[in-house]
Amino acid sequence: MVLPPGLAGRDPDRQLRQRAQFRAGHAPGPEQCQLRVGRRREIGDGRLRLQSRRLELCAGRGDLGHGADPPRPARICRLALFLAAARICAGRRGDQLHVPRARHRPALPQGREVRAVLAFLLLASAAGAPAATVGRAFYGTTLDGQRVDQVTLRNARGMTVRIIDYGAIVTDVVVPDSRGTKANVVLGFGNLADYQKHNPDYQFGAVIGRFAGRIAGGRFSIDGRPVQLARNDGPNSLHGGPGGIETRVWAMRTFAGKGGAGAELTVRSPAGDQAFPGAVDVRVRYTLTDDDQLRIDYRAASDAPTVVNLTNHSYFNLAGAGSGSVLGHRLQLGSPQLIETDEHGIPSGRLLAVAGTPFDFRAAHSLGSRIGVAHPQLVGRHGYNHGWWLGAGGTLRRAGTLTDPISGRAVDVSTSEPSITIYTAGYMAGKDIGAQGTPYRAFDGVALETQHVSDSPNQPRWPSTALRPGKPFETTTVYRFHAGPPAPARLAMTIDDLPLHGPIPANETPLSVGRRTIAALRTAGLTSVMGMINGHWTADQPVTLQVLKEWRAAGLPLGNHTWSHLNLNQLSPEQFAAEVARNEPLLARLEPAGDWHWLRYPFLSEGDDPAKRASARAVLKAHGYKIAAVTTGFDDWAYTAPYARCVAKNDQAGIAELTRLYLQSAEESIRFARTLSWAVEDREIPFVLLQHSGALDSYLLPRLVAIYRRNGVRFVSLPEAERDPFYARDVDPGLPGPANLESRAAARGIPLPYRASVMDRLAAICA
């Protein structure tokens, strides 16, 4: 390596006094990096020691001294020094390294001298590196042949934002949760072709203009001049009509500096564009700061009187884009007033007090918990698609906070705009595939659109959207991302169909499956998992009684699943009572001192008419039973038969696919249950999990437990879970029931999160 001029001499005093100037990298403007060297100073995880006759850089066990060939860590450190020397002060052009005068020492040998200089250079490079970075790469080519680039903004904390110059679209906002797990929290497509083809229906991440929101009849006047826009939303114009600036390729430049990095995008909308008068120059500046703020500064200037209303149309899902419904997200808005609109979304000119309505988010609550309330402003709206009044605007102030209680991720919204529109994406129909490879369905995201009020050009009571020459439109919105501790989750595991859930593979026995299950529970420390028994197996196959004995020997409790596992829909009340009673002597022998008065309905059927349900509950009440509810599960029973088929055929690929689907379904099921709990109850209930005693279940039980624990679950007993008030109708069958999460959602008009079925795929595996 050739040293810069002036550093090749052997006099260390002169070397330490000189300034070494380097030119490298692309960033404009000089910066200075200073390094002070004392007799001993800690720097990062290394130690720089300047002694009378030698300089050493110690990193871990590596020592860059002389003598024999250094150990491998030292060689790695040496290589790092040489590489770092080429990028002093993180590539800043004209940077200077200043080293204060040191007292005279004997000349260092040439090799040590080189290493001393390189050590200084490495430390100077680290000291001068900017916190935020910007990258730019080719993204695609539009249908008319224009190049589209994507920029990547990354701050010192690891947050990442990606933007393309087509539509000034924010394609990614990647943020960590409180445990450091990162996720992209905005919806979008995976390629430019999909953005061009499908995004006119959604405007994912795009800057909307010329006019965000609706204009009644598509008509307005500016200085007495009538303007007619395209009507693309029933009788009205939405977002200025088709072909707005969200479909154009913008000019884009990037910047980075102390505290942040960003991209500035500009586009010209010519006079007559979308039928709007005046040529308008739009500038949008995205800045990602080192404190995890995404700041958006908008500016528009026109050469003739016109109107303008700009916003960003990102849809947020703080659990991660493509993860399902956001109705469990909690929203807090400080606004006490809703902008009243007609059935077409056109403001009436009135402000409604939110107190006592489903629009009152002054205290945070979930998006789903009141979305089904009967209210004139919710009729026919497919959820929330409304504007809240924030005040006349002009100054940046906080509008609200959106939180995903499951991951702990949150975003605060501040804006200088006079209103914020909350759109829960109720019109998305699952017809288009997002970047994550899954369809986006209704309520899979929520847009937080800061903007002027819809139809402002026709309603002078609202802040004006008129844009005149020499008086530019300027506004700012800031999204600040952060994460708190996730909501705690509790879950009681129960296992049905003991002592045998079949069919079982030919190489297995009920005892081998049972013992594997018991061992897995013991290893996981789960000693309160209740097993629900069908006693007829002990009569039909006496060997199965040993499974129940060993279950009890492990300290695991038992409950009643009826003697024969018959469907209550096919039984009279007397037959049902007999099925329950016939199991009791066996339970009493196995658990004489325990509370086995817990009943799990076979097939989860409580009766197919009100009279049958009432009589069944009366039987249970009379015999002192509590109902073992089910609030989460993933139809694990359906894997039992295909697994037996695959084992019989020695089809390892089939077994691998079953395993993949099983574990994937388990993960999706707990997310579904937690989201539904927040959407319906606005809190996290303790869940009761239904599992079965199948052969594949027994093999995968350790991995299943790991999945739940990775999702923040703490395992509890069934009695502890059902002490929660949610289960009041289960612990007291004298109350009317049933009342699970799904039935409560239906009763309150709350849309259920989408849940994929794997039944067809299971039927085909090893068939």
Side-chain angles (χ1 to χ4, degrees), residues 28 31 61 141 155-156 197 231 241 296 430 552 603 616 660 756:
E31 285 187 357
R61 293 180 301 170
T141 303
N155 71 9
K197 182 177 181 181
R231 299 174 182 175
I296 310 177
R552 286 296 302 128
F603 305 101
R660 185 190 70 80

Side-chain angles (χ1 to χ4, degrees), residues 207 210 245 248 250-251 265-271 273 277-284 297-304 306-308 310 467-474:
V207 172
R210 287 192 188 185
I245 57 176
R248 315 286 170 79
W250 298 44
L265 297 99
T266 56
V267 70
R268 165 161 276 223
S269 175
D273 192 10
V280 175
D281 291 308
V282 178
R283 184 187 73 195
V284 175
D297 294 294
Y298 304 87
R299 187 182 192 276
S302 178
D303 63 1
T306 188
V307 297
V308 72
L310 304 176
L467 181 63
R468 302 183 184 281
K471 296 182 179 180
F473 166 92
E474 294 181 326

